[in-house]
Amino acid sequence: MNEIFLMKLGEVVLKGANKRQFENRLRQNVRRRMEPYGNFDVYILQSTVYVQPMDESADLDGAWEACRSIFGVVSLCRCRPCEKDIDAIFHAVEEYLGEDLDAVESFKVESKRSDKAFPLTSIAISQEIGGRLAESHPGCRVDVHNPAYTVYVEVRDYAAYVHGPAEPGAGGLPTGVGGRGMCLLSGGIDSPVAAYMMARRGMEIECVHFFSYPYTSQLAKDKVLELARLVTRYCGRMTVNVVSFTEIQEAIRDNCPEEYFTLIMRRFMMEISQRIAKQDGCGALITGENLGQVASQTMEAMAVTGAVVDIPIFMPLVGMDKEQIVAVARNIGTLETSILPYEDCCTVFTPKHPKTKPTLGQVLHAEEKLDRETLIAQALGSVEKVTVRYHDEPRL
């Protein structure tokens, strides 16, 4: 039998009567993510996802890397299936893990028997396999308390499975069980992390990006689309709505007090994002805001910018410090792209002395010369929808 993957479910197992819904979504996600790598059978038994190649042409290494970034999985391992027979189990361990055992000083065998019809108990399986391995690998001693390597044997419904230590999975909840959210995606460090964190809680992610040509370059736009591509490694393909924002920013510059530029700009962004979100079936906005990080992210400023929308605003980074955010960005592979020196529209017409504790009345007065509806309608008419997939060619 070929090598297969076993993927253990995380908090999905706690979902009670809704567990089947979560499992079905996870199975669909895994099947879709396996498509580029060949023909795989994907099924779930006993809170475990089985990913089995159906022919020898399957790209196991590529599929394994994809499985490591699928939300809803707490741990995963590559393993060798075999017949549910103690001799077959021993031979599978020897063939599959023998070289690993020769490279370490100590080992133990840990067994689980979910098929209670199997004649040996879990402890007896470990003792029998461990004794045989000690004889066949005399340079590797048994140490049940602090082994350098652990051999795992699982006797399940259809077969027995042997494998080495499991790797941590992506965790979280399966993409799609938490609804759809619209993420305001800039070219910075924070917003891709925010998208990742909400996807990890089961949200399907769509993005909106505000592009201010000629104040920002095509490279700045490509940078954002590349960030979106990197995030799709975890959340699957997504749509990025690219909105022309130049006319709005020029109107703000020409008609509003300078200290309110950023606040008014963000209010337009939030309202435009909400309208696109509602058109596309998204029930919430997602931002990378972080309390106190910049002048527009004080409590008062966030209240003013959020006042133009009537759907929830999720801010998963709001209580994190920058080091924590950077650590997540590095871990998910977006940091190096985020720090490329291609500035986005948030840096255009930045006030020297921004208002940090505005009231809603002050901001409404500051923007009263603007024809909001006309500007918003023009921006919505400019939307370019770009579909982004992880296997697309990198844009930078």
Side-chain angles (χ1 to χ4, degrees), residues 45 110 214 291:
L45 290 172
E110 192 168 302
L291 186 62

Side-chain angles (χ1 to χ4, degrees), residues 75-355:
S75 67
L76 63 164
C77 60
R78 300 174 76 146
C79 65
R80 173 67 59 84
C82 64
E83 294 181 15
K84 291 188 286 185
D85 171 83
I86 198 68
D87 292 329
I89 292 171
F90 170 70
H91 289 306
V93 173
E94 276 287 274
E95 291 178 5
Y96 193 57
L97 304 175
E99 291 185 3
D100 292 343
L101 289 168
D102 287 333
V104 296
E105 295 181 354
S106 62
F107 78 99
K108 75 170 182 178
V109 178
E110 192 168 302
S111 303
K112 292 183 180 180
R113 183 192 62 153
S114 57
D115 178 4
K116 302 306 180 185
F118 191 75
L120 297 179
T121 65
S122 297
I123 293 175
I125 295 170
S126 295
Q127 290 173 336
E128 179 67 23
I129 299 299
R132 295 192 190 188
L133 291 175
E135 291 180 2
S136 60
H137 299 271
C140 185
R141 60 184 172 81
V142 175
D143 184 347
V144 297
H145 299 294
N146 189 30
Y149 189 82
T150 300
V151 172
Y152 293 89
V153 176
E154 302 186 39
V155 181
R156 292 174 166 266
D157 287 350
Y158 295 154
Y161 303 87
V162 301
H163 60 88
E167 294 189 15
L173 294 172
T175 300
V177 299
R180 289 174 58 82
M182 180 70 70
C183 182
L184 281 72
L185 187 65
S186 73
I189 296 172
D190 299 343
S191 55
V193 174
Y196 161 84
M197 292 182 69
M198 294 313 302
R200 195 171 186 270
R201 298 311 304 159
M203 267 198 162
E204 288 186 33
I205 303 297
E206 188 170 333
C207 292
V208 58
H209 173 66
F210 295 91
F211 182 52
S212 293
Y213 184 82
Y215 301 106
T216 55
S217 67
Q218 179 63 38
L219 285 172
K221 177 180 174 182
D222 288 341
K223 173 184 174 181
V224 170
L225 294 175
E226 176 63 8
L227 287 170
R229 187 190 72 83
L230 293 171
V231 173
T232 61
R233 175 187 176 191
Y234 298 93
C235 64
R237 67 182 181 184
M238 71 166 68
T239 298
V240 180
N241 298 275
V242 181
V243 180
S244 177
F245 204 55
T246 307
E247 291 188 4
I248 290 176
Q249 288 192 289
E250 290 177 340
I252 294 170
R253 177 198 61 190
D254 295 339
N255 294 281
C256 302
E258 182 182 352
E259 64 265 32
Y260 292 99
F261 280 1
T262 302
L263 290 167
I264 297 171
M265 176 189 73
R266 288 194 61 79
R267 282 166 58 82
F268 272 99
M269 288 180 171
M270 298 293 280
E271 187 163 358
I272 292 167
S273 297
Q274 175 178 252
R275 296 197 190 188
I276 299 173
K278 289 182 175 181
Q279 290 171 1
D280 292 359
C282 297
L285 299 183
I286 303 165
T287 74
E289 289 170 290
N290 176 256
L291 186 62
Q293 182 170 239
V294 294
S296 63
Q297 294 177 15
T298 64
M299 185 183 301
E300 295 84 355
M302 288 191 286
V304 166
T305 57
V308 294
V309 303
D310 56 20
I311 60 176
I313 304 170
F314 293 148
M315 306 176 186
L317 316 185
V318 70
M320 299 173 68
D321 62 39
K322 198 65 178 183
E323 288 185 3
Q324 292 174 308
I325 298 169
V326 167
V328 177
R330 183 178 290 111
N331 182 57
I332 66 175
T334 58
L335 180 62
E336 293 303 316
T337 301
S338 290
I339 62 177
L340 291 174
Y342 309 132
E343 296 181 332
D344 58 35
C345 70
C346 295
T347 62
V348 178
F349 309 132
T350 302
K352 293 181 180 179
H353 303 289
K355 191 77 171 177

Side-chain angles (χ1 to χ4, degrees), residues 351-372:
K352 293 181 180 179
H353 303 289
K355 191 77 171 177
T356 58
K357 294 186 177 182
T359 66
L360 182 57
Q362 290 171 337
V363 177
L364 290 172
H365 178 69
E367 64 184 26
E368 63 184 3
K369 293 182 180 179
L370 299 173
D371 185 350
R372 288 185 61 87

